[in-house]
Amino acid sequence: STVGLDPAIDTLPASFRWGVATSAYQIEGAHEEDGRGPSIWDTYCRTPGMVHNGDNGDVACDHYHRMPEDVALIGSLGVDTYRFSVAWPRVQPGGKGPVNAPGMAFYDRLVDELLAKGIDPWVTLYHWDLPQELEDAGGWPVRDTAYRFADYSMLVFDALSDRVRNWTTLNEPWCSAMLGYYEGRQAPGRQDFGAAIHAVHHLLLGHGLATQRMREAAGEPMEFGITLNMSHASPATDSAADHDAARRADGLSRRIYLDPLVRGEYPADVVADLSARGVEIPVEPGDLEIIKQPIDVLGVNYYSSSKFSGVDEAGNTEDADGVPVCREVRYGRPVTAMDWEIVPEGFTNLLVQIGEDYPGVPMVITENGAAFDDEADESGFVRDDDRTAYLDSHIAAVAKARTAGADVRGYFAWSLMDNFEWSYGYDKRFGLVHVDYDTQVRTLKSSALWYRDTIRRVRGS
Ligand code: GBH
């Protein structure tokens, strides 16, 4: 490849873990097979106007039927770990009750296939596909959903824990709560700030309950954790208003999760800000002890960073509802196809900041990657130097954070292959592997070859 290798990458240790990641609804398809029930994403996709081009995950990458071929593909990249999610509606079609054996059997086969290829399975229990019946009963804003999640987690744990050692409870609870219940940009598409804050607490409670029960049941040492999407929030200027906006942005996106998880308390400033908006976090006695389970590994998903201002374009510091302004301000950098700015130093700063604020919590990058406007040639090959450059600068950013003291132990590229990019449908491609959605043919992009070579080089093999 003509894209260079940032020399910082050479400081990563040979023991550093390398992987690729996917999630169930984004790749599996087979939406009605083997007793799978509907999830909030099936419903959201069928709601006109919610997903680009009216796309849905009915077929996606047809991974459910092509799993052995896909595991071979993962093997060809030379990674040591594969992060995938289990679809709750396959395991419990209605979100409760006994295991749906044919659905669970798919993950059983997947784990066996991975182990046969020498690839360590890394399970995420929830990547946004809540069984629709649980949403009909109130969804994550309702406390009972946390208990349902713990029950579901134990079904998966019982089936796979003889072979799986890496367990992530939730992927990006911020997205589930804020995009799902406040902004409405993801399933279930509600727009109620109070409901979203209730969802935050019940997601965290579900994480705590599930982790407690799995760890109790584990006969041998395993790694339990949660994955958060985070960015580095900095003030747009040195003004007090902008500093306060950055504090509020960081509070609602990062500290409202990490403080209860690691310290067993919600941040006082965030609680005060919420209460000024008439919203209380529905904490019951004992909840915070349950949420504060030891975290063996914190998953960090990073894509971009922005600055924040406490003043809007018209000079106001409050919006029409009296809510303090928190306006995103761009760095002015090149963007990806998602229109997200490319800010690798925000990644370094974020990881160093987490290491300083929450010492003793090892981290793994569970997602990092980018969508670009790929052009496949007749053979399906994509020469994606832009993606390679993104990966290069961001893996280097991780290496720099390690040098500065952050305890980061591994990196997963998002994503193994092009897939269903939620409300963007199939329009946005994040894969290291190109998928032709007409033929389902997979072709390694040049970024995949670069990633494979980089892993080899760091391992010294
Ligand atoms: C991840 O979410 C998901 O885990 C994964 O399933 C998904 O495919 C992948 O990223 C790519 O999107 O939205 O304009 O305010 C990442 C979600 C992306 C949410 C960045 C916050 C900030 C820019 N995050 N986003 S914007």
Side-chain angles (χ1 to χ4, degrees), residues 25 31-32 35-43 46 88-90 92-95 129-136:
Y25 190 69
H31 72 300
E32 288 181 320
R36 179 186 179 275
S39 82
I40 54 175
W41 271 95
D42 296 280
T43 307
R46 280 165 176 71
W88 189 346
R90 288 196 194 282
Q92 280 181 315
D129 42 2
L130 186 71
Q132 181 61 41
E133 273 188 45
L134 293 186
E135 178 57 29
D136 296 342

Side-chain angles (χ1 to χ4, degrees), residues 198-408:
H198 283 235
V200 169
H201 184 66
H202 297 138
L203 284 153
L204 289 170
L205 183 63
H207 157 81
L209 291 165
T211 303
Q212 218 171 31
R213 287 179 59 185
M214 291 190 291
R215 193 176 267 128
E216 258 167 41
E220 49 186 304
M222 298 199 177
E223 302 212 329
F224 297 100
I226 184 170
T227 279
L228 305 176
N229 60 296
M230 290 180 283
S231 58
H232 186 253
S234 50
T237 73
D238 225 4
S239 75
D242 290 359
H243 273 278
D244 196 58
R247 172 192 66 75
R248 279 181 277 112
D250 186 49
L252 264 190
S253 62
R254 191 177 69 97
R255 293 182 290 114
I256 195 174
Y257 301 98
L258 281 172
D259 276 29
L261 286 165
V262 179
R263 300 180 183 157
E265 58 191 14
Y266 282 105
D269 62 310
V270 174
V271 172
D273 290 346
L274 289 174
S275 139
R277 292 172 75 170
V279 174
E280 306 293 331
I281 304 174
V283 182
E284 292 192 9
D287 284 3
L288 289 164
E289 289 71 57
I290 294 169
I291 293 170
K292 188 193 173 189
Q293 297 302 311
I295 293 189
D296 300 313
V297 56
L298 173 67
V300 176
N301 291 358
Y302 179 87
Y303 290 90
S304 183
S305 288
S306 12
K307 306 182 200 182
F308 291 89
S309 169
V311 186
D312 70 13
E313 262 115 10
N316 303 308
T317 55
E318 285 186 356
D319 70 13
D321 301 323
V323 177
V325 168
C326 192
R327 178 171 59 98
E328 253 186 277
V329 177
R330 290 186 167 242
Y331 281 78
R333 300 284 178 78
V335 297
T336 68
M338 301 296 281
D339 199 29
W340 298 345
E341 288 189 277
I342 302 173
V343 189
E345 79 272 25
F347 201 4
T348 306
N349 293 338
L350 169 70
L351 295 168
V352 170
Q353 180 183 44
I354 297 170
E356 286 170 357
D357 291 356
Y358 306 96
V361 182
M363 292 178 269
V364 162
I365 309 310
T366 38
E367 285 180 29
N368 174 243
F372 286 103
D373 295 320
D374 294 340
E375 301 268 5
D377 69 16
E378 273 129 66
S379 72
F381 181 74
V382 176
R383 168 120 190 195
D384 54 344
D385 288 349
D386 38 17
R387 183 172 290 103
T388 300
Y390 181 99
L391 295 174
D392 181 49
S393 61
H394 285 74
I395 295 170
V398 174
K400 288 171 192 164
R402 282 178 50 97
T403 304
D407 183 5
V408 187

Side-chain angles (χ1 to χ4, degrees), residues 22-23 26 83 127-128 171-172 174-175 179 183 185-186 227 229-231 301-306 328 330 338-340 367 369 414-415 419-422 424 430:
T22 63
S23 89
Q26 293 181 273
R83 173 179 182 252
H127 200 125
W128 305 356
N171 178 70
E172 303 188 345
W174 179 88
C175 291
L179 299 180
E183 295 186 27
R185 287 197 278 148
Q186 291 191 351
T227 279
N229 60 296
M230 290 180 283
S231 58
N301 291 358
Y302 179 87
Y303 290 90
S304 183
S305 288
S306 12
E328 253 186 277
R330 290 186 167 242
M338 301 296 281
D339 199 29
W340 298 345
E367 285 180 29
W414 183 269
S415 176
N419 59 47
F420 176 73
E421 178 50 30
W422 306 113
Y424 297 87
F430 275 88

Side-chain angles (χ1 to χ4, degrees), residues 104-184:
M104 193 69 244
F106 170 74
Y107 300 103
D108 208 70
R109 295 195 300 274
L110 169 58
V111 166
D112 283 344
E113 194 76 31
L114 288 165
L115 292 174
K117 291 257 168 359
I119 302 162
D120 201 14
W122 183 299
V123 169
T124 299
L125 288 160
Y126 183 75
H127 200 125
W128 305 356
D129 42 2
L130 186 71
Q132 181 61 41
E133 273 188 45
L134 293 186
E135 178 57 29
D136 296 342
W140 286 110
V142 166
R143 187 176 174 89
D144 185 58
T145 304
Y147 293 89
R148 299 286 68 77
F149 174 70
D151 286 354
Y152 151 71
S153 297
M154 284 310 292
L155 293 180
V156 181
F157 192 78
D158 286 343
L160 304 180
S161 62
D162 58 334
R163 287 154 293 156
V164 172
R165 303 169 59 85
N166 311 289
W167 296 89
T168 298
T169 52
L170 307 173
N171 178 70
E172 303 188 345
W174 179 88
C175 291
S176 296
M178 291 297 150
L179 299 180
Y181 292 96
Y182 176 43
E183 295 186 27

